[in-house]
Amino acid sequence: MTSTTLARTGEPATPPNSPKSRPAGGRVRATARTRRAWAGWTFSLPFLVLYAVFELVPVIASIAISFTDMRSTDLRDPLAVDPAGLDNYSRLLSDEVFWKAIGNTFYFTAVSVPLTLVLGLALAVALNSGIARFKTFFRVGYYLPVVSSIIAVAVVWNYLLKDDMGLINTALGWVGIDGPDWLNSTTWAIPALIGMAVWRHMGFAMVIFLAGLQGVPKEMYEAATLDGTTKWQAFRYITLPMLRPTMLFMVVISMIGNLQFFEEPFVMTQGEPLDSTTSIAYQIYEAFGTGQYGYAAAMSYVLFILIAGLTLIQFRLLREKP
Amino acid sequence: MSTPMSLRIDTGRDRPPQEITPDRPERGQRWVYVVLAAGLVVVCAPFVWMVLSSFKTEKEIYADPPTWFPETPGFDNFSILLDKLDIPQFLFNSVFVATVTTLGNLLFCSMLGYALAKIDYPGKKFIFGLVLSKLMIPGIALLVPTFVVVASLGLVDSYAGIILPGLAAPMGVFLMRQFIQGLPDDLIDAGRVDGAGEFRIFFRIILPLCRPALATLGLLTFLASWNSFLWPLVVAQSEDLYTLPVGVALYSLDHQNAEYGLLLAGASMLVLPIIAVFVYFQRHFVQGIATTGLK
């Protein structure tokens, strides 16, 4: 294994112990460099092997599969599938459910990302505002939804969102609101899933913002206080600008995550009612589950391009200095 | 980021807020507490209700208005569920998969992290690029082709098929690289001068110094693996290989009209162990996030 890795480095491939390397004048130096190359590639090897098998091959394969009509029955002999040309892609264009899934995914992302970030930031700022007691307690408590299995979360939320006796509608009833039948309403199902997603993810945003806030020098606030700024001004003109890198990082990460929005519809609604909660990722899973690998791969590829494109745009923004 | 981690905790304590004006911050603080506590109640209520209700009878769960505390608490839901599902086997699978995944990530991520941070070798930039690309490629988009690859390797319905694809997560590599970059070069140079090989340096000098970062990475990986659901669901086809989330999920999906108490019991069994692990190790977690350079 090691000899192949060496060859790949483009280094003059002389293993340290081969007779050729001995008489050289700059022996120590050459040996040190070769040794470093050796060590570097050996340490990288496990990752590289896993990357090649479970990342590189799948990425290439997904392109190839998307141009075939591969089905689950072809698994025994994956190379013998029939080419389908652009059939899968043209089918996508006329697949109304897929377009609906794209719309739902963007709707979900557009509401859920800002909500999660604003709430996460608010929590982080509150925890960082100089309160001395229960800090750890709050931090852990707000983080619990993040560490909880979606399966367990689904069991509870199914009950919370029930029409007549769910805790949420009961609570709404106290303030005189007649809550909808959340998960069976084409209007309210996505908002319900958004609420669930925000609840699940804002703890993560909080922790990342907390880490970011620790990088803001205390002296800046002290100076501002001496100058007589209000709390809001300090937040607006010190905290927010200083958090810019963290903010952009969180926008990118949450966006990538939300565009792959899958678990909520999978465990809560299975895309129902009337495909109003179907997401792109859920569509991929359904096509995969029904054995239409070629079609699923084509959809995956569209999703991939969508995410990669949006990520690239955001990285451009990330690099811009304020 | 390279700040020693012990320095960054307890920011509020050494600088009492009284410095500003004597009265206002006190009252402001009280409001912060009230809002934070109210929010916490809302956030945690579903868990509390879930655990409490798993001890209720079916009839009481559906009582109107809903109750908080079980009137006649009992373990019936748990014992029936244990009867119907092979929970010990699922539990073993979950622990086994999460443990192997965690150990693999600790080793492989820190190996590559060390190379990327401290060894100057050709191709390094390229490999770091691969790590970043892996961070960006969405997992769900690779579900199908990865499954095809795993299937052609004959790994469907095996532990290896569940574990291998997640054995060197890019986030872990990134975290370890950031941390190791902050370690002083002198130690490594001293080792090299003494004639120690890179492996010796790595295992004897670097790894022991990485303990805080390893704790963070270990906790994060264990949590993620314990909760990972889609991949094990797809790969594990026989019940012997179901992890706890897969087992509970399939049961609840297959039995939409199942007794709700059983599902609550399953959900509690899924969440309580991991919450315990998290609460016990949470200290490492927040420290680690601060050192990953995520900010």
Side-chain angles (χ1 to χ4, degrees), chain A residues 153-185:
Chain A
V153 168
V155 170
V156 184
W157 275 76
N158 254 315
Y159 186 87
L160 294 182
L161 290 167
K162 274 203 190 323
D163 186 13
D164 41 355
M165 34 157 312
L167 288 190
I168 290 178
N169 280 354
T170 308
L172 285 175
W174 294 336
V175 290
I177 300 172
D178 186 18
D181 184 3
W182 297 94
L183 294 177
N184 292 314
S185 146

PDB file of all heavy atoms in Angstrom, chain A residues 153-185:
ATOM      1  N   VAL A 153     -38.401  12.256  18.842  1.00  0.00           N
ATOM      2  CA  VAL A 153     -39.016  13.567  18.664  1.00  0.00           C
ATOM      3  C   VAL A 153     -40.334  13.437  17.899  1.00  0.00           C
ATOM      4  O   VAL A 153     -41.334  14.063  18.243  1.00  0.00           O
ATOM      5  CB  VAL A 153     -38.035  14.503  17.919  1.00  0.00           C
ATOM      6  CG1 VAL A 153     -38.732  15.763  17.465  1.00  0.00           C
ATOM      7  CG2 VAL A 153     -36.857  14.841  18.812  1.00  0.00           C
ATOM      8  N   ALA A 154     -40.330  12.592  16.865  1.00  0.00           N
ATOM      9  CA  ALA A 154     -41.535  12.419  16.053  1.00  0.00           C
ATOM     10  C   ALA A 154     -42.684  11.870  16.876  1.00  0.00           C
ATOM     11  O   ALA A 154     -43.820  12.330  16.761  1.00  0.00           O
ATOM     12  CB  ALA A 154     -41.238  11.489  14.886  1.00  0.00           C
ATOM     13  N   VAL A 155     -42.382  10.893  17.731  1.00  0.00           N
ATOM     14  CA  VAL A 155     -43.436  10.300  18.551  1.00  0.00           C
ATOM     15  C   VAL A 155     -44.111  11.388  19.383  1.00  0.00           C
ATOM     16  O   VAL A 155     -45.339  11.488  19.434  1.00  0.00           O
ATOM     17  CB  VAL A 155     -42.854   9.196  19.461  1.00  0.00           C
ATOM     18  CG1 VAL A 155     -43.885   8.749  20.481  1.00  0.00           C
ATOM     19  CG2 VAL A 155     -42.373   8.027  18.626  1.00  0.00           C
ATOM     20  N   VAL A 156     -43.290  12.241  20.005  1.00  0.00           N
ATOM     21  CA  VAL A 156     -43.851  13.266  20.873  1.00  0.00           C
ATOM     22  C   VAL A 156     -44.583  14.335  20.066  1.00  0.00           C
ATOM     23  O   VAL A 156     -45.704  14.722  20.395  1.00  0.00           O
ATOM     24  CB  VAL A 156     -42.736  13.935  21.696  1.00  0.00           C
ATOM     25  CG1 VAL A 156     -43.339  14.935  22.655  1.00  0.00           C
ATOM     26  CG2 VAL A 156     -41.957  12.904  22.440  1.00  0.00           C
ATOM     27  N   TRP A 157     -43.960  14.796  18.992  1.00  0.00           N
ATOM     28  CA  TRP A 157     -44.569  15.888  18.228  1.00  0.00           C
ATOM     29  C   TRP A 157     -45.854  15.460  17.555  1.00  0.00           C
ATOM     30  O   TRP A 157     -46.748  16.270  17.372  1.00  0.00           O
ATOM     31  CB  TRP A 157     -43.562  16.462  17.234  1.00  0.00           C
ATOM     32  CG  TRP A 157     -42.713  17.488  17.891  1.00  0.00           C
ATOM     33  CD1 TRP A 157     -41.685  17.256  18.756  1.00  0.00           C
ATOM     34  CD2 TRP A 157     -42.838  18.909  17.793  1.00  0.00           C
ATOM     35  NE1 TRP A 157     -41.166  18.434  19.204  1.00  0.00           N
ATOM     36  CE2 TRP A 157     -41.855  19.468  18.617  1.00  0.00           C
ATOM     37  CE3 TRP A 157     -43.688  19.759  17.089  1.00  0.00           C
ATOM     38  CZ2 TRP A 157     -41.699  20.853  18.759  1.00  0.00           C
ATOM     39  CZ3 TRP A 157     -43.518  21.136  17.227  1.00  0.00           C
ATOM     40  CH2 TRP A 157     -42.538  21.668  18.057  1.00  0.00           C
ATOM     41  N   ASN A 158     -45.943  14.211  17.151  1.00  0.00           N
ATOM     42  CA  ASN A 158     -47.193  13.721  16.607  1.00  0.00           C
ATOM     43  C   ASN A 158     -48.330  13.961  17.580  1.00  0.00           C
ATOM     44  O   ASN A 158     -49.445  14.308  17.198  1.00  0.00           O
ATOM     45  CB  ASN A 158     -47.088  12.218  16.324  1.00  0.00           C
ATOM     46  CG  ASN A 158     -46.982  11.954  14.854  1.00  0.00           C
ATOM     47  OD1 ASN A 158     -47.729  12.539  14.076  1.00  0.00           O
ATOM     48  ND2 ASN A 158     -46.056  11.101  14.468  1.00  0.00           N
ATOM     49  N   TYR A 159     -48.004  13.763  18.839  1.00  0.00           N
ATOM     50  CA  TYR A 159     -49.029  13.950  19.857  1.00  0.00           C
ATOM     51  C   TYR A 159     -49.270  15.435  20.125  1.00  0.00           C
ATOM     52  O   TYR A 159     -50.423  15.873  20.222  1.00  0.00           O
ATOM     53  CB  TYR A 159     -48.610  13.237  21.137  1.00  0.00           C
ATOM     54  CG  TYR A 159     -49.675  13.265  22.185  1.00  0.00           C
ATOM     55  CD1 TYR A 159     -50.660  12.291  22.223  1.00  0.00           C
ATOM     56  CD2 TYR A 159     -49.711  14.280  23.119  1.00  0.00           C
ATOM     57  CE1 TYR A 159     -51.660  12.330  23.176  1.00  0.00           C
ATOM     58  CE2 TYR A 159     -50.707  14.325  24.073  1.00  0.00           C
ATOM     59  CZ  TYR A 159     -51.682  13.352  24.100  1.00  0.00           C
ATOM     60  OH  TYR A 159     -52.654  13.398  25.033  1.00  0.00           O
ATOM     61  N   LEU A 160     -48.167  16.196  20.218  1.00  0.00           N
ATOM     62  CA  LEU A 160     -48.305  17.636  20.479  1.00  0.00           C
ATOM     63  C   LEU A 160     -49.182  18.309  19.434  1.00  0.00           C
ATOM     64  O   LEU A 160     -49.935  19.234  19.727  1.00  0.00           O
ATOM     65  CB  LEU A 160     -46.929  18.317  20.447  1.00  0.00           C
ATOM     66  CG  LEU A 160     -45.924  17.957  21.512  1.00  0.00           C
ATOM     67  CD1 LEU A 160     -44.655  18.766  21.333  1.00  0.00           C
ATOM     68  CD2 LEU A 160     -46.497  18.215  22.893  1.00  0.00           C
ATOM     69  N   LEU A 161     -49.066  17.832  18.180  1.00  0.00           N
ATOM     70  CA  LEU A 161     -49.744  18.504  17.071  1.00  0.00           C
ATOM     71  C   LEU A 161     -51.137  17.952  16.793  1.00  0.00           C
ATOM     72  O   LEU A 161     -51.768  18.332  15.823  1.00  0.00           O
ATOM     73  CB  LEU A 161     -48.890  18.381  15.806  1.00  0.00           C
ATOM     74  CG  LEU A 161     -47.587  19.186  15.793  1.00  0.00           C
ATOM     75  CD1 LEU A 161     -46.691  18.749  14.662  1.00  0.00           C
ATOM     76  CD2 LEU A 161     -47.891  20.673  15.683  1.00  0.00           C
ATOM     77  N   LYS A 162     -51.613  17.048  17.627  1.00  0.00           N
ATOM     78  CA  LYS A 162     -52.937  16.489  17.378  1.00  0.00           C
ATOM     79  C   LYS A 162     -54.002  17.572  17.399  1.00  0.00           C
ATOM     80  O   LYS A 162     -53.853  18.599  18.041  1.00  0.00           O
ATOM     81  CB  LYS A 162     -53.259  15.423  18.433  1.00  0.00           C
ATOM     82  CG  LYS A 162     -52.732  14.062  18.071  1.00  0.00           C
ATOM     83  CD  LYS A 162     -53.515  12.988  18.795  1.00  0.00           C
ATOM     84  CE  LYS A 162     -52.909  11.618  18.683  1.00  0.00           C
ATOM     85  NZ  LYS A 162     -52.284  11.261  17.433  1.00  0.00           N
ATOM     86  N   ASP A 163     -55.057  17.308  16.651  1.00  0.00           N
ATOM     87  CA  ASP A 163     -56.068  18.343  16.437  1.00  0.00           C
ATOM     88  C   ASP A 163     -56.777  18.784  17.710  1.00  0.00           C
ATOM     89  O   ASP A 163     -56.663  19.923  18.150  1.00  0.00           O
ATOM     90  CB  ASP A 163     -57.095  17.822  15.409  1.00  0.00           C
ATOM     91  CG  ASP A 163     -58.086  18.901  15.028  1.00  0.00           C
ATOM     92  OD1 ASP A 163     -57.814  20.073  15.356  1.00  0.00           O
ATOM     93  OD2 ASP A 163     -59.107  18.568  14.410  1.00  0.00           O
ATOM     94  N   ASP A 164     -57.509  17.861  18.334  1.00  0.00           N
ATOM     95  CA  ASP A 164     -58.403  18.290  19.400  1.00  0.00           C
ATOM     96  C   ASP A 164     -57.789  18.236  20.791  1.00  0.00           C
ATOM     97  O   ASP A 164     -58.138  18.997  21.661  1.00  0.00           O
ATOM     98  CB  ASP A 164     -59.694  17.443  19.372  1.00  0.00           C
ATOM     99  CG  ASP A 164     -59.371  15.981  19.109  1.00  0.00           C
ATOM    100  OD1 ASP A 164     -58.187  15.687  18.866  1.00  0.00           O
ATOM    101  OD2 ASP A 164     -60.292  15.146  19.163  1.00  0.00           O
ATOM    102  N   MET A 165     -56.819  17.316  20.987  1.00  0.00           N
ATOM    103  CA  MET A 165     -56.323  17.159  22.353  1.00  0.00           C
ATOM    104  C   MET A 165     -54.817  17.329  22.451  1.00  0.00           C
ATOM    105  O   MET A 165     -54.234  17.095  23.488  1.00  0.00           O
ATOM    106  CB  MET A 165     -56.731  15.776  22.852  1.00  0.00           C
ATOM    107  CG  MET A 165     -56.712  14.823  21.707  1.00  0.00           C
ATOM    108  SD  MET A 165     -56.539  13.101  22.039  1.00  0.00           S
ATOM    109  CE  MET A 165     -55.229  13.024  23.140  1.00  0.00           C
ATOM    110  N   GLY A 166     -54.180  17.751  21.331  1.00  0.00           N
ATOM    111  CA  GLY A 166     -52.734  17.975  21.366  1.00  0.00           C
ATOM    112  C   GLY A 166     -52.386  19.110  22.313  1.00  0.00           C
ATOM    113  O   GLY A 166     -53.191  20.019  22.521  1.00  0.00           O
ATOM    114  N   LEU A 167     -51.180  19.048  22.885  1.00  0.00           N
ATOM    115  CA  LEU A 167     -50.792  20.068  23.856  1.00  0.00           C
ATOM    116  C   LEU A 167     -50.766  21.449  23.210  1.00  0.00           C
ATOM    117  O   LEU A 167     -51.115  22.445  23.837  1.00  0.00           O
ATOM    118  CB  LEU A 167     -49.418  19.750  24.438  1.00  0.00           C
ATOM    119  CG  LEU A 167     -49.335  18.577  25.417  1.00  0.00           C
ATOM    120  CD1 LEU A 167     -47.979  18.552  26.079  1.00  0.00           C
ATOM    121  CD2 LEU A 167     -50.424  18.687  26.478  1.00  0.00           C
ATOM    122  N   ILE A 168     -50.354  21.515  21.932  1.00  0.00           N
ATOM    123  CA  ILE A 168     -50.224  22.821  21.289  1.00  0.00           C
ATOM    124  C   ILE A 168     -51.589  23.469  21.114  1.00  0.00           C
ATOM    125  O   ILE A 168     -51.781  24.640  21.478  1.00  0.00           O
ATOM    126  CB  ILE A 168     -49.498  22.693  19.940  1.00  0.00           C
ATOM    127  CG1 ILE A 168     -48.034  22.359  20.208  1.00  0.00           C
ATOM    128  CG2 ILE A 168     -49.624  23.962  19.119  1.00  0.00           C
ATOM    129  CD1 ILE A 168     -47.190  22.161  18.997  1.00  0.00           C
ATOM    130  N   ASN A 169     -52.556  22.717  20.608  1.00  0.00           N
ATOM    131  CA  ASN A 169     -53.885  23.307  20.443  1.00  0.00           C
ATOM    132  C   ASN A 169     -54.556  23.557  21.788  1.00  0.00           C
ATOM    133  O   ASN A 169     -55.341  24.492  21.916  1.00  0.00           O
ATOM    134  CB  ASN A 169     -54.754  22.415  19.561  1.00  0.00           C
ATOM    135  CG  ASN A 169     -54.444  22.632  18.091  1.00  0.00           C
ATOM    136  OD1 ASN A 169     -53.660  23.517  17.754  1.00  0.00           O
ATOM    137  ND2 ASN A 169     -55.029  21.832  17.228  1.00  0.00           N
ATOM    138  N   THR A 170     -54.254  22.730  22.768  1.00  0.00           N
ATOM    139  CA  THR A 170     -54.782  23.012  24.101  1.00  0.00           C
ATOM    140  C   THR A 170     -54.257  24.347  24.600  1.00  0.00           C
ATOM    141  O   THR A 170     -55.018  25.189  25.100  1.00  0.00           O
ATOM    142  CB  THR A 170     -54.370  21.893  25.081  1.00  0.00           C
ATOM    143  OG1 THR A 170     -54.737  20.638  24.518  1.00  0.00           O
ATOM    144  CG2 THR A 170     -55.047  22.065  26.420  1.00  0.00           C
ATOM    145  N   ALA A 171     -52.937  24.556  24.414  1.00  0.00           N
ATOM    146  CA  ALA A 171     -52.341  25.814  24.855  1.00  0.00           C
ATOM    147  C   ALA A 171     -52.909  26.981  24.065  1.00  0.00           C
ATOM    148  O   ALA A 171     -53.198  28.038  24.632  1.00  0.00           O
ATOM    149  CB  ALA A 171     -50.823  25.763  24.707  1.00  0.00           C
ATOM    150  N   LEU A 172     -53.093  26.800  22.758  1.00  0.00           N
ATOM    151  CA  LEU A 172     -53.680  27.869  21.952  1.00  0.00           C
ATOM    152  C   LEU A 172     -55.098  28.174  22.410  1.00  0.00           C
ATOM    153  O   LEU A 172     -55.544  29.320  22.385  1.00  0.00           O
ATOM    154  CB  LEU A 172     -53.686  27.482  20.466  1.00  0.00           C
ATOM    155  CG  LEU A 172     -52.345  27.544  19.740  1.00  0.00           C
ATOM    156  CD1 LEU A 172     -52.478  27.031  18.318  1.00  0.00           C
ATOM    157  CD2 LEU A 172     -51.790  28.967  19.743  1.00  0.00           C
ATOM    158  N   GLY A 173     -55.801  27.124  22.852  1.00  0.00           N
ATOM    159  CA  GLY A 173     -57.157  27.305  23.333  1.00  0.00           C
ATOM    160  C   GLY A 173     -57.226  28.227  24.538  1.00  0.00           C
ATOM    161  O   GLY A 173     -58.174  28.994  24.683  1.00  0.00           O
ATOM    162  N   TRP A 174     -56.195  28.198  25.383  1.00  0.00           N
ATOM    163  CA  TRP A 174     -56.188  29.061  26.563  1.00  0.00           C
ATOM    164  C   TRP A 174     -56.233  30.524  26.176  1.00  0.00           C
ATOM    165  O   TRP A 174     -56.755  31.351  26.904  1.00  0.00           O
ATOM    166  CB  TRP A 174     -54.919  28.822  27.398  1.00  0.00           C
ATOM    167  CG  TRP A 174     -54.869  27.459  28.010  1.00  0.00           C
ATOM    168  CD1 TRP A 174     -55.913  26.648  28.299  1.00  0.00           C
ATOM    169  CD2 TRP A 174     -53.693  26.746  28.397  1.00  0.00           C
ATOM    170  NE1 TRP A 174     -55.472  25.478  28.841  1.00  0.00           N
ATOM    171  CE2 TRP A 174     -54.119  25.505  28.922  1.00  0.00           C
ATOM    172  CE3 TRP A 174     -52.322  27.032  28.382  1.00  0.00           C
ATOM    173  CZ2 TRP A 174     -53.228  24.546  29.393  1.00  0.00           C
ATOM    174  CZ3 TRP A 174     -51.434  26.101  28.849  1.00  0.00           C
ATOM    175  CH2 TRP A 174     -51.889  24.862  29.347  1.00  0.00           C
ATOM    176  N   VAL A 175     -55.621  30.866  25.027  1.00  0.00           N
ATOM    177  CA  VAL A 175     -55.650  32.270  24.622  1.00  0.00           C
ATOM    178  C   VAL A 175     -56.714  32.503  23.560  1.00  0.00           C
ATOM    179  O   VAL A 175     -56.685  33.485  22.829  1.00  0.00           O
ATOM    180  CB  VAL A 175     -54.268  32.750  24.101  1.00  0.00           C
ATOM    181  CG1 VAL A 175     -53.284  32.828  25.243  1.00  0.00           C
ATOM    182  CG2 VAL A 175     -53.740  31.823  23.017  1.00  0.00           C
ATOM    183  N   GLY A 176     -57.640  31.553  23.457  1.00  0.00           N
ATOM    184  CA  GLY A 176     -58.795  31.780  22.603  1.00  0.00           C
ATOM    185  C   GLY A 176     -58.585  31.496  21.132  1.00  0.00           C
ATOM    186  O   GLY A 176     -59.374  31.912  20.302  1.00  0.00           O
ATOM    187  N   ILE A 177     -57.490  30.783  20.795  1.00  0.00           N
ATOM    188  CA  ILE A 177     -57.270  30.466  19.384  1.00  0.00           C
ATOM    189  C   ILE A 177     -57.689  29.031  19.132  1.00  0.00           C
ATOM    190  O   ILE A 177     -57.330  28.120  19.891  1.00  0.00           O
ATOM    191  CB  ILE A 177     -55.792  30.658  18.989  1.00  0.00           C
ATOM    192  CG1 ILE A 177     -55.370  32.106  19.229  1.00  0.00           C
ATOM    193  CG2 ILE A 177     -55.575  30.254  17.533  1.00  0.00           C
ATOM    194  CD1 ILE A 177     -53.892  32.345  19.046  1.00  0.00           C
ATOM    195  N   ASP A 178     -58.445  28.829  18.050  1.00  0.00           N
ATOM    196  CA  ASP A 178     -58.851  27.481  17.693  1.00  0.00           C
ATOM    197  C   ASP A 178     -57.817  26.934  16.705  1.00  0.00           C
ATOM    198  O   ASP A 178     -57.868  27.233  15.516  1.00  0.00           O
ATOM    199  CB  ASP A 178     -60.252  27.527  17.072  1.00  0.00           C
ATOM    200  CG  ASP A 178     -60.786  26.126  16.821  1.00  0.00           C
ATOM    201  OD1 ASP A 178     -60.240  25.173  17.420  1.00  0.00           O
ATOM    202  OD2 ASP A 178     -61.724  25.995  16.023  1.00  0.00           O
ATOM    203  N   GLY A 179     -56.867  26.163  17.218  1.00  0.00           N
ATOM    204  CA  GLY A 179     -55.755  25.699  16.391  1.00  0.00           C
ATOM    205  C   GLY A 179     -56.202  24.755  15.287  1.00  0.00           C
ATOM    206  O   GLY A 179     -57.216  24.076  15.404  1.00  0.00           O
ATOM    207  N   PRO A 180     -55.450  24.730  14.185  1.00  0.00           N
ATOM    208  CA  PRO A 180     -55.812  23.869  13.050  1.00  0.00           C
ATOM    209  C   PRO A 180     -55.431  22.409  13.310  1.00  0.00           C
ATOM    210  O   PRO A 180     -54.747  22.105  14.282  1.00  0.00           O
ATOM    211  CB  PRO A 180     -54.967  24.441  11.916  1.00  0.00           C
ATOM    212  CG  PRO A 180     -53.763  25.006  12.599  1.00  0.00           C
ATOM    213  CD  PRO A 180     -54.230  25.498  13.939  1.00  0.00           C
ATOM    214  N   ASP A 181     -55.888  21.538  12.447  1.00  0.00           N
ATOM    215  CA  ASP A 181     -55.461  20.143  12.478  1.00  0.00           C
ATOM    216  C   ASP A 181     -54.124  20.071  11.728  1.00  0.00           C
ATOM    217  O   ASP A 181     -54.053  19.685  10.577  1.00  0.00           O
ATOM    218  CB  ASP A 181     -56.513  19.265  11.787  1.00  0.00           C
ATOM    219  CG  ASP A 181     -56.147  17.793  11.880  1.00  0.00           C
ATOM    220  OD1 ASP A 181     -55.127  17.473  12.515  1.00  0.00           O
ATOM    221  OD2 ASP A 181     -56.882  16.971  11.312  1.00  0.00           O
ATOM    222  N   TRP A 182     -53.076  20.472  12.433  1.00  0.00           N
ATOM    223  CA  TRP A 182     -51.782  20.782  11.835  1.00  0.00           C
ATOM    224  C   TRP A 182     -51.370  19.835  10.705  1.00  0.00           C
ATOM    225  O   TRP A 182     -51.203  20.249   9.567  1.00  0.00           O
ATOM    226  CB  TRP A 182     -50.692  20.787  12.898  1.00  0.00           C
ATOM    227  CG  TRP A 182     -50.904  21.844  13.924  1.00  0.00           C
ATOM    228  CD1 TRP A 182     -51.539  21.704  15.119  1.00  0.00           C
ATOM    229  CD2 TRP A 182     -50.507  23.214  13.835  1.00  0.00           C
ATOM    230  NE1 TRP A 182     -51.551  22.907  15.792  1.00  0.00           N
ATOM    231  CE2 TRP A 182     -50.920  23.844  15.027  1.00  0.00           C
ATOM    232  CE3 TRP A 182     -49.842  23.964  12.864  1.00  0.00           C
ATOM    233  CZ2 TRP A 182     -50.687  25.182  15.276  1.00  0.00           C
ATOM    234  CZ3 TRP A 182     -49.596  25.289  13.115  1.00  0.00           C
ATOM    235  CH2 TRP A 182     -50.035  25.900  14.310  1.00  0.00           C
ATOM    236  N   LEU A 183     -51.207  18.553  11.046  1.00  0.00           N
ATOM    237  CA  LEU A 183     -50.547  17.660  10.095  1.00  0.00           C
ATOM    238  C   LEU A 183     -51.468  17.218   8.965  1.00  0.00           C
ATOM    239  O   LEU A 183     -51.004  16.627   7.991  1.00  0.00           O
ATOM    240  CB  LEU A 183     -49.981  16.443  10.824  1.00  0.00           C
ATOM    241  CG  LEU A 183     -48.852  16.798  11.787  1.00  0.00           C
ATOM    242  CD1 LEU A 183     -48.387  15.562  12.536  1.00  0.00           C
ATOM    243  CD2 LEU A 183     -47.680  17.428  11.052  1.00  0.00           C
ATOM    244  N   ASN A 184     -52.763  17.484   9.069  1.00  0.00           N
ATOM    245  CA  ASN A 184     -53.667  17.095   7.993  1.00  0.00           C
ATOM    246  C   ASN A 184     -54.158  18.271   7.185  1.00  0.00           C
ATOM    247  O   ASN A 184     -55.122  18.166   6.430  1.00  0.00           O
ATOM    248  CB  ASN A 184     -54.871  16.334   8.564  1.00  0.00           C
ATOM    249  CG  ASN A 184     -54.434  14.996   9.113  1.00  0.00           C
ATOM    250  OD1 ASN A 184     -53.680  14.281   8.462  1.00  0.00           O
ATOM    251  ND2 ASN A 184     -54.876  14.674  10.314  1.00  0.00           N
ATOM    252  N   SER A 185     -53.491  19.398   7.347  1.00  0.00           N
ATOM    253  CA  SER A 185     -53.919  20.583   6.617  1.00  0.00           C
ATOM    254  C   SER A 185     -52.852  20.940   5.596  1.00  0.00           C
ATOM    255  O   SER A 185     -51.668  21.019   5.930  1.00  0.00           O
ATOM    256  CB  SER A 185     -54.116  21.736   7.603  1.00  0.00           C
ATOM    257  OG  SER A 185     -53.780  22.957   7.007  1.00  0.00           O
TER     258      SER A 185
END
